[in-house]
Amino acid sequence: MFNEIISFIREIYRTDKPIALHEPRFLGNEKKYVLDTIDSTFVSSVGTYVTKFEDMIKEYTGCKHAIATSNGTTALHLALLLAGVKREHEVITQPLTFVATCNAISYCGATPVFVDVDKETLGLSPVKLREFLSNNCKVENGQCVNKVTGKTVRACVPMHTFGHSARIEEIRECCDEYNVILVEDAAESIGSKYRSKHTGRFGKLGILSFNGNKTITCGGGGMIMTDDQDLAKLGKHVSTTAKVPHKWDFVHDMLGYNYRLPNINAALACAQMEQLDLFIKNKRELASAYEKFFGKLGVTFIKEPKDVYSNYWLNGIILKDKKERDDFLKFSNDQGVMTRPIWTLMSKLNMYKGCVKGDLSNSEWLEDRVVNIPSSVVVKK
Ligand SMILES: *Cc1c(COP(=O)(O)O)cnc(C)c1O
């Protein structure tokens, strides 16, 4: 069976050379726009491409305001600060995520609280979220208080795993009921929609990532999306060292960060945005070919859940058990076809193993079985 999988993947990518899990494609105006920033000398945090990129994201996702940052992690850190996450707060998230989600919570001095995911979406489970909130929390003076720890649960950060949206409307309803601010980690899901609305637009704030391994990239980059004008204004200010605009004076009126995306990266981003729809079409065709193939093989392929239009950033399969997973990981990587397991659960990492958690049985089940397989845009030769 493993052999068949490897041959199928090699057939798709038409190569005998090593196949990466996800590599960028620069097929459009990338060189032209980047050269343009060099010729203009505006390669750094001031320049026309940064605002152009923000406008393209607004247009594409429908969000009212967008703030470009140096990467997805800084976008999430800033989004949580804007949501008012402070030291001594708790922030609910899923244990099945990339470490940046939890690190951004920690940068605010807050602690993650782990609630399980759904097996169908790989995203935060609205049912388990409600269960956790109703068993452990109460709303007191407008704040959601964890009765066990006495801490305020300020925000909730669901993550749209591999580009598949979580059941985000149900999550939002639950957050609203308990006065918990919803911040979406949509780092992996640019172009993905839940009931026709772009992911990252359901909460007060949402973020995207443009790291080298994502659906489109600008080397490193991130974006904060919000419909709240005041938060957007504050976000832009804080991301640019909180400098008060003035021709020569250096006055900073609050603690700021150097998180603005450089113009040279934004140039790359604009060129990639022009190709996004093509890339997603290509990725969805790839996913559909995988789905057919694995269906015949009797292996579970991770499909977009109900009500979701997915960008299929990373394709994944679910193997029988941990042993089969490990055997396949070894076999495929030895053959030069890169595959990898899903992340080690955050609740098991040194920094986070002491955190409050609910029942995590779905996350644990998935952790043992999910394998990602090559998912780059297929270039027709
Ligand atoms: C990629 C990613 C981020 C942000 O990553 P950066 O490399 O900082 O852009 C955050 N959360 C998740 C779930 C991610 O996959």
Side-chain angles (χ1 to χ4, degrees):
M1 176 181 94
F2 291 175
N3 249 325
E4 278 174 78
I5 300 176
I6 298 306
S7 320
F8 184 74
I9 295 173
R10 289 213 171 275
E11 227 170 86
I12 285 175
Y13 286 100
R14 295 165 191 265
T15 178
D16 298 326
K17 300 207 184 80
I19 298 173
L21 192 70
H22 201 289
E23 54 187 9
R25 301 281 186 235
F26 301 121
L27 309 168
N29 287 317
E30 286 85 356
K31 283 183 185 168
K32 181 166 174 264
Y33 294 171
V34 169
L35 267 180
D36 196 25
T37 66
I38 294 172
D39 289 340
S40 74
T41 76
F42 284 94
V43 293
S44 199
S45 42
V46 175
T48 51
Y49 282 106
V50 190
T51 30
K52 191 172 162 214
F53 179 32
E54 289 170 337
D55 289 343
M56 287 174 102
I57 289 292
K58 283 191 270 184
E59 158 101 41
Y60 190 85
T61 64
C63 70
K64 289 210 177 86
H65 307 279
I67 305 154
T69 62
S70 52
N71 58 58
T73 312
T74 53
L76 192 54
H77 179 204
L78 195 50
L80 290 170
L81 290 173
L82 292 171
V85 173
K86 295 196 170 63
R87 214 157 272 287
E88 299 313 315
H89 283 162
E90 287 180 346
V91 176
I92 295 173
T93 190
Q94 57 202 61
L96 195 78
T97 184
F98 177 56
V99 72
T101 317
C102 294
N103 285 349
I105 295 168
S106 296
Y107 298 160
C108 300
T111 0
V113 169
F114 297 114
V115 170
D116 207 5
V117 297
D118 278 327
K119 275 189 190 171
E120 297 72 35
T121 66
L122 314 183
L124 190 73
S125 161
V127 174
K128 300 250 187 146
L129 175 63
R130 181 169 293 280
E131 200 177 276
F132 180 85
L133 287 169
S134 71
N135 287 345
N136 299 277
C137 302
K138 60 173 179 199
V139 179
E140 205 177 67
N141 303 323
Q143 307 263 19
C144 178
V145 178
N146 183 334
K147 290 184 282 189
V148 184
T149 61
K151 290 187 176 183
T152 296
V153 180
R154 179 72 184 177
C156 173
V157 187
M159 196 278 282
H160 304 297
T161 307
F162 304 155
H164 307 307
S165 172
R167 285 154 67 189
I168 194 66
E169 279 184 349
E170 288 160 76
I171 291 171
R172 180 174 62 189
E173 274 166 32
C174 199
C175 287
D176 285 351
E177 220 171 286
Y178 281 86
N179 282 355
V180 173
I181 298 173
L182 177 59
V183 178
E184 288 173 80
D185 184 346
E188 305 181 354
S189 63
I190 187 161
S192 302
K193 290 166 192 164
Y194 183 83
R195 293 186 178 153
S196 304
K197 185 169 169 173
H198 199 285
T199 50
R201 292 207 49 224
F202 290 83
K204 196 154 195 64
L205 299 133
I207 70 102
L208 300 168
S209 163
F210 301 90
N211 189 42
N213 63 345
K214 296 296 200 304
T215 298
I216 56 169
T217 183
C218 58
M223 190 71 73
I224 300 173
M225 299 182 287
T226 183
D227 286 346
D228 185 316
Q229 188 171 3
D230 295 335
L231 279 188
K233 219 173 143 196
L234 184 61
K236 167 107 191 270
H237 187 58
V238 173
S239 73
T240 50
T241 68
K243 186 179 179 296
V244 180
H246 191 278
K247 269 199 173 139
W248 53 81
D249 266 345
F250 276 99
V251 178
H252 306 264
D253 59 2
M254 59 190 291
L255 178 63
Y257 298 82
N258 179 16
Y259 280 180
R260 186 102 178 128
L261 182 73
N263 200 40
I264 192 166
N265 297 92
L268 197 49
C270 290
Q272 290 266 286
M273 279 301 289
E274 292 171 354
Q275 297 160 85
L276 178 56
D277 281 336
L278 265 175
F279 284 7
I280 292 177
K281 184 168 173 279
N282 185 300
K283 289 170 79 64
R284 288 180 61 84
E285 281 164 12
L286 170 63
S288 144
Y290 272 143
E291 186 186 339
K292 252 203 225 135
F293 169 77
F294 284 109
K296 277 190 212 144
L297 212 59
V299 171
T300 308
F301 174 75
I302 300 173
K303 282 185 282 190
E304 62 191 353
K306 193 171 149 282
D307 297 323
V308 173
Y309 177 87
S310 177
N311 68 2
Y312 278 98
W313 169 52
L314 277 191
N315 292 294
I317 52 176
I318 301 181
L319 293 172
K320 215 169 56 214
D321 51 26
K322 195 160 187 277
K323 167 145 193 341
E324 191 178 57
R325 180 201 75 170
D326 289 340
D327 290 347
F328 180 64
L329 285 170
K330 171 141 185 29
F331 184 86
S332 50
N333 283 290
D334 281 351
Q335 302 274 318
V337 172
M338 190 179 164
T339 60
R340 49 147 242 210
I342 202 165
W343 312 280
T344 298
L345 299 187
M346 294 302 109
S347 46
K348 290 183 180 172
L349 300 184
N350 271 334
M351 316 80 88
Y352 302 119
K353 61 186 176 203
C355 295
V356 175
K357 51 180 183 266
D359 161 60
L360 303 181
S361 48
N362 290 340
S363 301
E364 283 157 4
W365 189 89
L366 289 162
E367 182 193 28
D368 283 347
R369 291 166 179 80
V370 172
V371 174
N372 287 122
I373 53 179
S375 303
S376 312
V377 165
V378 179
V379 183
K380 311 264 166 24
K381 285 180 188 147

